Amino acid sequence: MGFISHIKLFKEYLKIAVATALEYRANFVIQVLAMAFNDAFLLVFWFLFFDRFKLINGWALEELMILYALLTLAYGIAGVFFGNRSQIPKLIAEGKLDFYLNLPKEELFHILISKSSSFAVGDIVFGLLLGAYVLTLSQWPLFLLFVVISTSFVVSFGVLVGSLGFYFGNAEETARTLWMGMISLSSNPFSIFKGGARIILLTLIPAGFVTGIPVELLKNFTWSWFGILVGAAVIFLLLSIIIFRRGLRRYESGSMMTARI
Amino acid sequence: MELAKYSALARISIGNNLVYVKDFFMSSLFIGIILFIFIQLWTVVYGTEAEVIEGFTLGMMIWYLVLTESIVTSPGRLIEDIGAEVQSGTIAQHLLKPYHYLLFKYVTTMGSTVLRFVMTFIIGALLAFFFVGGIKVTLWSVPIIILSLFLALTLHYAFMAAIGVMAFWLEDAESLYLLYQKTIFVFGGMFMPLDIFPAWLESVSKALPFSYVAYYPAHLAVRFDVNEAISVVGMQIVWISVLSVIAWALYRFCVKRITINGG
Amino acid sequence: MDHVIKVQNLSKRFKIKQKGKGVSGSIKSFFAPEYKLVTAVNNISFSVKQGEIVGFIGPNGAGKSTAIKMMTGILYPDQGSISVLGYDPQQQRQELAYHIGTVFGQKPQLWYHLPPIDSFNLFAAIYDLPKSEYEKRLNLLVRLFEVEDILQQPVRKLSLGQRMRCEMMASLLHKPKIIFLDEPTIGMDILVRKKIRELIKELNEKEKTTIILTSHDLEDVEQVCERIVIINNGKIIYDGPTVKLREQYLHWKRIKIIFAKKTNELKLGLRYCTVLNKGNDEFEINVDTRHERVQKVIERIMSLQAVEDITIIDPPIEEIIQELFQKRHYGTRKI
C-alpha cells in the first residue's frame, strides 16, 4: 500500500525481467543489438542530411545528436521499466486487467512495470553511447534531469492513448498509430515546426516537450521554458492517471467478448 | 488455370482488407503525420538553400517522398508474418496445398499491398497538392511508371520473403524487420533522394538493390527519362529474379528441415 | 462479523457495439456506432456468512462472473451496494485485495515461461508478506497441494492439473479470508476435478475460509457447496441449501433396471412412474416420491420380471435447473 512496498514490487519485476532475458539469452542479445543498430541507422540519415545542409532554422547536427540521445534514453527507459504500456489497449479489450485489479497494489503502476522490453535495452545502450560522445560533462546533470522528464511524458502519453481502449472498444491500432506518430514527431528537429503545428506539439501530442524544448534548453537555458516543461510534465502525468482511473469505471473485463463475436 | 487460381486468392485478400476500415483510417493518419513532417522539413531546407537541389524542386521532392513512403509502408509487417509461420511450423500446412507457399503469399499480400499503396498515395497526393501543388508528368510515361512501381512492390516483397524465411534460423523476425526497414529508409532512398548523399555513398547506394525498391521508381515518376526507365525496369527484373531465387532456396532448405524434424 | 459479504440490489449493464454488414456497415459503425444495452446482472441481493461455501451456477453468460467481478472490485456496478469484509470493493479495492484470493480458470496469473516458485516469490512481494511467514506458508501449501517436484519447472511444461494447483496456491499465499473461484475446473479431466474439489473442501475445513465458487458444471458445485445460488439471465432464481434444492425440486428418484432376459415392454400399472429410456433389456424409471414409494415400485418390477441389476439414483442436478428455468414438469402419465 505504501510507497516502499511499491518500490519492492518494482525490484521483484526487474528480477523477473532478468530471469526471462536469461532464459532466452540469444534472443535478448539479438534484440538489443537490432535496436541499437536501428537507432544508429536513423542517425546516419541525419549525418548525411547535415553533411549537405548544415543548418535547419538554427538546429545543427549537434542538436540532433543530443535529441537522439534524449529520445532513445527516454523511450528506452520507458520500454525497460514501464514496458507494459504498449499492451494496455489489448489488456483492456481482452479483460486482462483483472489480474492487476485483484491484487493489492496501485493498478496503473503495477500494469506498467510488469513487463520489460528487450528491444528497449538497445535504445538505452545507444542513448548512453551517443550521450557520452556528444555531451560535455557539465551538460550531463541537466541532461539526465531531462531524460527523467521526457520519460515521464512518454509514459504518460502511452497511458493516455492506451486508455482509449476503455472508451472505444478495441483501440490497439489507434493507440499504436498515435504512439508511432509521437515517435516520428519527436525524432525530428523541433525548429521545423511553426505556428499551429508547434501548438499541437506542445499540447495534444506533446512531442515538443519530449525532445524539442529540452534540447533547446540544453543549448540555451531559460527558467521560464524550464518551468513550462516541468509544469507540463506534471499536468500530463496527472491527466494520464485521471483518464485511466475514470476509464476503469467503464472496464468490462472482457465480459461481452463472446457476445461480440 | 494456374493464373486463375492465384488471381482468386488475390481478390480474397482485397476483400478481407476492405473490412478493416479502422485500420485504413489509422494508417492514413500515420502517413499524414509522416508526410506533414517531411513537408515542414523540406520547406525549411528549400527556404534557406536554393530553388533547386540536385535537380529537385520542392514540389518534386515532396511528390518523390509521397511515392517512396507509399511503396515502403504498403506491405505491412510481412517479415514478421512469414517469420511467425516459419517458426511455429504452420508453414508446413501449406505444403499439402496445391500451390507454392511463396507464390501464395505473394498474391495474397500483393492484393492488399496494391490496395494500401493506392490509398496511401491518394492521401499523400492530397497533402502534397495542398502544400506544394502538382507536378508535371507526361501522359505516355504513366504506364511505365506504374510498371516500375509494381515491380518495386514485388522486389520489396521478395526481400521481405527472403528475410522472413531467415527467421527460421535467427529466431527473431522483428529484429530482422527493423534492420531491413531502416536500410530501405536510408540507403533505399525513402527519406531523401540518394543524389543528396556524398558522391561515393551515392554511387554505392545506387548500385545496391535497395534503391530499386524506393529511389529509382520514385525518381522516375518525378523526373522521367526514357533511358533511365529502361535500365530501371531491367534492373528491377534482374533483382527480383535474384532475390526470388534466394528466397526460394532458403525456403526449400527450411522446409526440408521442418519436414525432417516433423514440424 | 457474521456476514462477510453483503450484496444489495446489484445491477450491471454492458454496452455492445452493433456492427452493420459489409464495407458500408463498417464505415458507418466507425463514425456513428450504435449500441445495444445488455443487462448482465439484474437487481440481485444476497449475503454470505463466514465459513460458508457458496456455489453460483447458471448457464454461460448468466451473470455469475460479472457478479463475482463486482464483489472483488474489478467491475463497477451500475446500481446497488456491495460490502465485502466491511470494505467497499470499488473504493477500497487495494485494502480488500489483501484479504481475498481469486482463481480465474480462464485467466492464468502465473508467468508462463518461469517456474512457479518465481511467481510465488513475486506474489509474496505483492502481498507484502514477511519472509519467515511466507516460507512457512509456502511449505504448508506445497505439502497440501503436493507440488514439491514441479516447483522449479517452467509453467509451460506443466500439465493442466499441475498448473491449476499452482494457480490456486498463488492465491492462497496471503491466507485470504475469502476465496473466489471462477470456473476453476474448466477443461479438466475427472480425476483432476476431484482433486481440486477435495482441496477446496479441505481449505474450508482447516482454515475456515469462506469460498465462493462459480461453475457451469453442476457436479462441482453439488459436491463442494452446501449452499447454491442459481443465476439465470442476471437474476437469482434460487438461493438456498443444496439439500433443500434437492428436496424441493427433487421429489424424484430414478431406478435403473437391467433385466435378465430381453424385455420389450414394461407395464407397471402405477400412476406416478415414467419410463424415461428403453434399451433392449435396460429401463430407466422416474418415480414421483411424493405419491409413490420407491420400495413399492421395485417390488412391482421384481414381481413382473427376473432382474439382473437394479440401482436407485438422484437425477443429475442439470435437470433440476432445467426444471427451474423452464418450469417444466414431468408428466404423470400412467404406464
Side-chain angles (χ1 to χ4, degrees):
Chain A
M1 219 175 288
F3 181 71
I4 298 194
S5 89
H6 279 83
I7 297 295
K8 270 192 197 151
L9 185 68
F10 198 59
K11 233 173 64 191
E12 282 306 311
Y13 273 107
L14 284 182
K15 272 193 216 162
I16 289 215
V18 172
T20 313
L22 286 175
E23 176 93 11
Y24 298 95
R25 229 161 302 186
N27 276 44
F28 177 76
V29 173
I30 290 175
Q31 292 179 352
V32 170
L33 288 177
M35 197 40 124
F37 274 110
N38 172 75
D39 297 343
F41 265 60
L42 287 171
L43 194 63
V44 163
F45 165 74
W46 289 107
F47 268 92
L48 296 169
F49 186 90
F50 281 106
D51 186 58
R52 175 71 176 75
F53 300 120
K54 311 301 177 214
L55 219 62
I56 304 173
N57 278 356
W59 276 52
L61 183 59
E62 195 195 333
E63 278 82 9
L64 216 102
M65 285 200 281
I66 299 176
L67 178 147
Y68 259 80
L70 184 60
L71 181 79
T72 48
L73 275 172
Y75 280 93
I77 292 170
V80 170
F81 299 102
F82 306 99
N84 215 13
R85 169 290 304 163
S86 59
Q87 302 295 313
I88 291 177
K90 198 175 170 179
L91 293 172
I92 295 169
E94 293 177 2
K96 287 182 178 160
L97 291 188
D98 292 13
F99 173 79
Y100 304 96
L101 292 171
N102 276 323
L103 297 173
K105 288 285 172 281
E106 203 287 313
E107 57 277 348
L108 181 55
F109 179 76
H110 194 173
I111 291 164
L112 289 170
I113 64 167
S114 62
K115 203 177 163 206
S116 177
S117 150
S118 322
F119 282 105
V121 177
D123 275 330
I124 294 183
V125 170
F126 179 83
L128 287 175
L129 289 175
L130 184 61
Y133 172 74
V134 71
L135 293 167
T136 62
L137 208 59
S138 61
Q139 282 176 312
W140 269 98
L142 192 56
F143 176 76
L144 288 179
L145 177 64
F146 287 152
V147 168
V148 174
I149 293 173
S150 298
T151 307
S152 163
F153 271 112
V154 167
V155 175
S156 310
F157 185 73
V159 171
L160 278 172
V161 295
S163 301
L164 291 175
F166 288 123
Y167 301 90
F168 298 104
N170 189 353
E172 250 178 283
E173 201 59 40
T174 315
R176 187 163 57 224
T177 304
L178 290 170
W179 176 258
M180 298 291 287
M182 171 82 158
I183 294 181
S184 306
L185 288 164
S186 51
S187 60
N188 277 277
F190 190 52
S191 59
I192 64 171
F193 301 109
K194 285 187 290 289
R198 209 161 245 252
I199 292 170
I200 289 174
L201 295 188
L202 294 178
T203 49
L204 221 53
I205 305 178
F209 284 124
V210 177
T211 54
I213 300 297
V215 170
E216 283 175 1
L217 279 174
L218 270 169
K219 299 303 287 184
N220 189 3
F221 188 86
T222 63
W223 280 105
S224 55
W225 270 107
F226 181 74
I228 293 171
L229 178 70
V230 174
V234 173
I235 290 171
F236 259 90
L237 189 62
L238 290 178
L239 198 65
S240 69
I241 294 170
I242 292 168
I243 300 276
F244 183 85
R245 290 217 174 139
R246 298 203 71 174
L248 269 185
R249 301 178 144 267
R250 308 170 62 111
Y251 176 56
E252 292 185 351
S253 169
S255 300
M256 289 290 116
M257 279 236 287
T258 41
R260 271 208 185 99
I261 295 162
Chain B
M1 274 315 276
E2 280 292 293
L3 208 67
K5 183 164 72 190
Y6 289 113
S7 82
L9 284 170
R11 273 203 305 279
I12 289 168
S13 156
I14 293 176
N16 280 339
N17 215 269
L18 282 173
V19 183
Y20 302 129
V21 180
K22 196 164 156 190
D23 184 41
F24 164 69
F25 280 103
M26 285 307 132
S27 48
S28 316
L29 176 65
F30 184 64
I31 300 301
I33 292 174
I34 296 290
L35 285 171
F36 177 74
I37 295 172
F38 277 144
I39 290 167
Q40 299 300 310
L41 180 68
W42 289 102
T43 308
V44 173
V45 170
Y46 276 90
T48 47
E49 290 275 324
E51 286 272 308
V52 178
I53 296 170
E54 323 294 356
F56 284 81
T57 63
L58 176 62
M60 286 158 77
M61 182 66 80
I62 299 304
W63 281 95
Y64 169 92
L65 293 169
V66 167
L67 279 167
T68 55
E69 186 74 31
S70 307
I71 298 169
V72 176
T73 57
S74 295
R77 310 200 118 197
L78 182 63
I79 291 182
E80 285 169 297
D81 189 20
I82 294 182
E85 285 193 349
V86 167
Q87 275 167 13
S88 64
T90 47
I91 203 171
Q93 289 169 8
H94 293 280
L95 297 175
L96 305 169
K97 304 263 168 67
Y99 48 69
H100 191 277
Y101 173 74
L102 290 175
L103 266 181
F104 164 79
K105 263 296 182 217
Y106 174 69
V107 287
T108 47
T109 49
M110 275 311 258
S112 56
T113 301
V114 168
L115 190 77
R116 217 173 304 147
F117 174 87
V118 172
M119 287 174 172
T120 312
F121 179 74
I122 290 171
I123 295 152
L126 287 174
L127 269 173
F129 207 83
F130 179 75
F131 280 98
V132 296
I135 46 160
K136 258 208 272 184
V137 182
T138 24
L139 197 63
W140 62 269
S141 71
V142 171
I144 305 170
I145 292 168
I146 290 175
L147 172 68
S148 178
L149 288 171
F150 186 78
L151 290 173
L153 289 174
T154 305
L155 179 60
H156 197 24
Y157 166 81
F159 261 120
M160 291 183 136
I163 296 169
V165 177
M166 276 201 273
F168 183 68
W169 292 275
L170 275 173
E171 297 235 318
D172 201 84
E174 204 181 341
S175 300
L176 294 171
Y177 172 71
L178 279 179
L179 294 181
Y180 170 69
Q181 188 198 36
K182 267 38 177 211
T183 309
I184 293 282
F185 278 11
V186 181
F187 302 106
M190 179 183 135
F191 274 178
M192 63 179 175
L194 303 174
D195 313 68
I196 290 167
F197 287 8
W200 67 273
L201 192 60
E202 180 189 342
S203 39
V204 171
S205 302
K206 281 186 176 172
L208 291 171
F210 307 108
S211 58
Y212 291 93
V213 173
Y215 170 74
Y216 278 115
H219 186 248
L220 268 188
V222 296
R223 290 182 74 186
F224 190 78
D225 174 273
V226 185
N227 293 327
E228 192 184 85
I230 293 165
S231 86
V232 167
V233 169
M235 283 307 286
Q236 281 181 320
I237 292 170
V238 169
W239 282 118
I240 289 169
S241 320
V242 171
L243 277 148
S244 302
V245 170
I246 292 173
W248 177 77
L250 286 170
Y251 172 76
R252 277 286 299 267
F253 199 67
C254 150
V255 162
K256 252 187 207 160
R257 291 274 293 272
I258 287 177
T259 43
I260 287 166
N261 297 337
Chain C
M1 187 166 43
D2 195 18
H3 284 99
V4 287
I5 298 177
K6 270 177 267 174
V7 170
Q8 260 168 354
N9 306 100
L10 192 64
S11 291
K12 176 77 183 172
R13 279 175 314 211
F14 292 113
K15 256 187 190 177
I16 298 179
K17 206 171 177 177
Q18 301 288 95
K19 214 174 204 168
K21 271 187 183 155
V23 182
S24 63
S26 300
I27 294 173
K28 215 180 120 198
S29 90
F30 180 78
F31 285 110
E34 281 174 34
Y35 294 98
K36 197 176 97 184
L37 276 177
V38 172
T39 307
V41 169
N42 192 355
N43 197 24
I44 62 170
S45 302
F46 63 89
S47 47
V48 178
K49 286 194 200 111
Q50 202 212 317
E52 262 191 298
I53 309 187
V54 184
F56 282 78
I57 46 174
N60 280 327
K64 309 164 283 187
S65 296
T66 304
I68 283 216
K69 283 168 182 169
M70 286 192 280
M71 287 185 252
T72 62
I74 291 176
L75 292 174
Y76 280 72
D78 291 331
Q79 267 149 36
S81 70
I82 312 170
S83 163
V84 180
L85 295 166
Y87 295 106
D88 175 337
Q90 279 67 40
Q91 300 308 317
Q92 298 163 293
R93 186 190 67 72
Q94 284 188 55
E95 290 92 324
L96 174 64
Y98 280 106
H99 307 293
I100 59 171
T102 49
V103 179
F104 288 176
Q106 286 152 307
K107 289 177 184 170
Q109 41 190 347
L110 300 176
W111 263 247
Y112 189 64
H113 295 290
L114 298 173
I117 186 72
D118 286 7
S119 294
F120 294 157
N121 292 340
L122 179 76
F123 279 107
I126 290 174
Y127 287 107
D128 302 312
L129 301 177
K131 203 170 176 353
S132 60
E133 201 179 296
Y134 164 56
E135 275 165 6
K136 233 168 75 188
R137 180 75 177 162
L138 184 67
N139 283 335
L140 182 106
L141 290 173
V142 164
R143 254 177 287 130
L144 185 66
F145 282 77
E146 298 161 22
V147 291
E148 288 93 340
D149 308 332
I150 54 171
L151 227 43
Q152 305 290 345
Q153 286 175 33
V155 171
R156 62 171 190 273
K157 289 181 183 158
L158 303 183
S159 74
L160 211 56
Q162 291 171 327
R163 224 177 270 181
M164 185 44 74
R165 269 184 281 158
C166 291
E167 287 281 347
M168 285 180 67
M169 273 181 71
S171 308
L172 297 171
L173 290 168
H174 59 296
K175 237 180 165 177
K177 297 194 182 92
I178 307 176
I179 301 174
F180 295 90
L181 297 121
D182 194 12
E183 307 274 0
T185 58
I186 205 156
M188 286 177 193
D189 61 48
I190 302 165
L191 280 175
V192 178
R193 293 178 112 117
K194 196 168 165 242
K195 176 79 194 159
I196 288 185
R197 283 181 209 145
E198 283 167 12
L199 283 167
I200 294 172
K201 274 198 235 173
E202 204 171 336
L203 218 69
N204 173 259
E205 277 160 25
K206 279 192 180 156
E207 304 193 337
K208 300 283 166 278
T209 318
T210 308
I211 287 166
I212 309 289
L213 173 79
T214 78
S215 185
H216 66 279
D217 178 75
L218 291 151
E219 215 187 316
D220 279 348
V221 177
E222 195 186 353
Q223 300 277 326
V224 177
C225 305
E226 58 224 18
R227 175 177 159 200
I228 287 182
V229 177
I230 302 173
I231 298 190
N232 191 39
N233 288 330
K235 284 186 178 151
I236 293 180
I237 56 168
Y238 178 87
D239 179 359
T242 313
V243 187
K244 203 171 167 200
L245 182 74
R246 290 186 162 283
E247 282 168 3
Q248 270 184 11
Y249 290 90
L250 208 84
H251 40 84
W252 304 92
K253 285 283 177 191
R254 186 154 299 171
I255 307 171
K256 272 190 185 173
I257 320 137
I258 298 173
F259 290 109
K261 62 175 192 208
K262 216 169 196 174
T263 311
N264 292 325
E265 242 185 324
L266 185 64
K267 281 213 168 113
L268 293 174
L270 295 168
R271 276 194 68 193
Y272 297 101
C273 292
T274 321
V275 175
L276 280 181
N277 91 54
K278 240 194 299 192
N280 242 353
D281 44 7
E282 201 183 320
F283 285 80
E284 250 185 77
I285 296 162
N286 231 9
V287 184
D288 187 339
T289 49
R290 285 174 305 186
H291 304 285
E292 204 73 76
R293 277 168 48 238
V294 176
Q295 198 189 344
K296 190 179 160 197
V297 180
I298 292 174
E299 278 166 9
R300 179 70 60 93
I301 295 165
M302 301 283 236
S303 69
L304 288 168
Q305 291 269 3
V307 170
E308 195 173 277
D309 189 21
I310 192 159
T311 30
I312 306 162
I313 51 165
D314 295 324
I317 206 160
E318 270 97 344
E319 285 178 16
I320 307 171
I321 299 252
Q322 210 168 23
E323 198 177 342
L324 268 162
F325 287 162
Q326 303 175 352
K327 305 259 181 276
R328 197 179 66 193
H329 293 271
Y330 297 115
T332 47
R333 191 165 43 91
K334 190 178 171 183
I335 47 170

